[in-house]
Amino acid sequence: MDTPDGGVLAVETSGDPSGRPVFLLHGTPGSRVGPAPRSAVLARMRVRLISFDRPGYGDSTRLPGRRVRNAADDVATIADALGLDRFAVVGRSGGGPHALACAALLPDRVVRAATQVCLAPRDADGLDWFAGMTPSNERAFRQAELGQPRIAGPFQVRSQVIRRDPAQLIRNLVPELTPPDRTVVADIGIRRMLQSTYRQAFRYGADGWIDDVLAFIADWGFAVDAIRIPVRIWHGADDKFSPVGHSAWLADHIPAAQLYLEPGAAHFGSLKEMTDAIRWAASS
């Protein structure tokens, strides 16, 4: 789909074409073909799931200087093209802040928003942002705070390796995975879904990945306490990639938010919980 700024967004829909529309915003890194319930499951739920490559990922053109708030513009553009007036949004991991952008900036269109293992704003008052975070994630974010040149080269090199062998990213993560996450990614079906989304994400390079990381540590362009619609926040208690304190902070600052903290689950536990998040989002 064409965007007003002259770009292109790659969009995919699945499930029931006449079902309740739910936008699924993918993780970081990720793409529109990322983990999601099978189309038959969505059809039984009477859900029309809509996903897209964020600018710079896969087949979507890059938007220089992209901010978290820009996701609301992209979702509105897609919804208009599909003839959708009202809809729900679900964001997993790096998709979470973008789902919150839609909730804050499209209050007359978004009926419900759900996040899974979401980050809080970098300037979140009273939150020790890096507390409990894996060393690799902390290192990447701290380098990003020094400017795009510090991460652009390394991220492009990593994306080339992952594009040739998508399983490499999972192997790189294994040393930092908690036992619950190791159990999840050991599932061959989930590994295949993750490899598929990484392959699509880096089809033309690492621009989307770079821009996501820069957007997370910059001003998001909206205040989460301005969100007035129902928000469901899920987090695995053992998550080290997006520390659980982030979701706890969000739950304290979003007026209509409910926090679901799952003991014995971690970051990738969100993949098994996604169907419940989508079902809740579509139940308004």
Side-chain angles (χ1 to χ4, degrees):
M1 295 181 180
D2 295 331
T3 62
D5 57 18
V8 173
L9 293 172
V11 183
E12 184 156 324
T13 65
S14 58
D16 182 352
S18 60
R20 289 160 293 187
V22 178
F23 279 82
L24 178 61
L25 293 100
H26 64 72
T28 300
S31 70
R32 71 183 192 275
V33 297
R38 295 190 303 274
S39 190
V41 173
L42 294 166
R44 287 197 296 272
M45 293 165 57
R46 301 208 58 189
V47 167
R48 182 185 189 185
L49 196 68
I50 305 145
S51 56
F52 65 99
D53 296 339
R54 273 195 297 280
Y57 283 114
D59 293 304
S60 292
T61 51
R62 189 179 196 181
L63 177 63
R66 173 164 61 85
R67 300 168 69 191
V68 173
R69 67 164 292 131
N70 292 123
D73 298 328
D74 292 337
V75 167
T77 294
I78 296 168
D80 289 345
L82 295 177
L84 304 175
D85 181 33
R86 293 170 66 78
F87 44 83
V89 293
V90 174
R92 185 185 73 82
S93 189
H98 297 93
L100 294 179
C102 297
L105 301 174
L106 302 173
D108 296 330
R109 305 188 71 175
V110 177
V111 293
R112 283 188 169 192
T115 68
Q116 300 174 296
V117 294
C118 185
L119 289 171
R122 179 66 182 91
D123 60 356
D125 185 41
L127 175 66
D128 185 347
W129 209 77
F130 292 112
M133 186 178 289
T134 57
S136 62
N137 270 19
E138 179 176 352
R139 185 166 53 251
F141 283 122
R142 289 196 184 279
Q143 289 176 339
E145 289 181 330
L146 299 176
Q148 180 171 331
R150 292 296 295 270
I151 65 170
F155 272 43
Q156 291 291 1
V157 171
R158 290 173 65 187
S159 74
Q160 291 168 9
V161 173
I162 296 166
R163 186 167 63 248
R164 290 193 297 269
D165 179 14
Q168 183 63 45
L169 182 52
I170 301 173
R171 289 195 292 269
N172 290 344
L173 292 176
V174 166
E176 293 185 319
L177 293 180
T178 59
D181 273 345
R182 292 191 184 198
T183 299
V184 173
V185 301
D187 182 286
I188 187 62
I190 286 177
R191 292 178 78 94
R192 285 174 177 166
M193 284 193 293
L194 289 171
Q195 291 171 28
S196 176
T197 196
Y198 298 151
R199 184 179 295 108
Q200 172 65 17
F202 299 129
R203 188 172 182 181
Y204 299 109
D207 288 345
W209 195 11
I210 294 167
D211 292 345
D212 264 1
V213 172
L214 293 172
F216 294 147
I217 62 171
D219 181 358
W220 285 8
F222 64 94
V224 298
D225 60 9
I227 297 173
R228 292 293 181 266
I229 66 168
V231 178
R232 180 184 191 269
I233 299 174
W234 182 94
H235 217 114
D238 297 334
D239 190 358
K240 303 299 182 186
F241 290 94
S242 302
V244 68
H246 287 240
S247 278
W249 187 93
L250 290 169
D252 285 342
H253 290 79
I254 299 174
Q258 289 186 312
L259 174 62
Y260 296 84
L261 184 61
E262 184 169 337
H267 194 75
F268 288 99
S270 59
L271 302 179
K272 292 184 174 294
E273 201 272 340
M274 185 181 293
T275 299
D276 287 342
I278 293 171
R279 181 181 292 110
W280 177 87
S283 65
S284 59

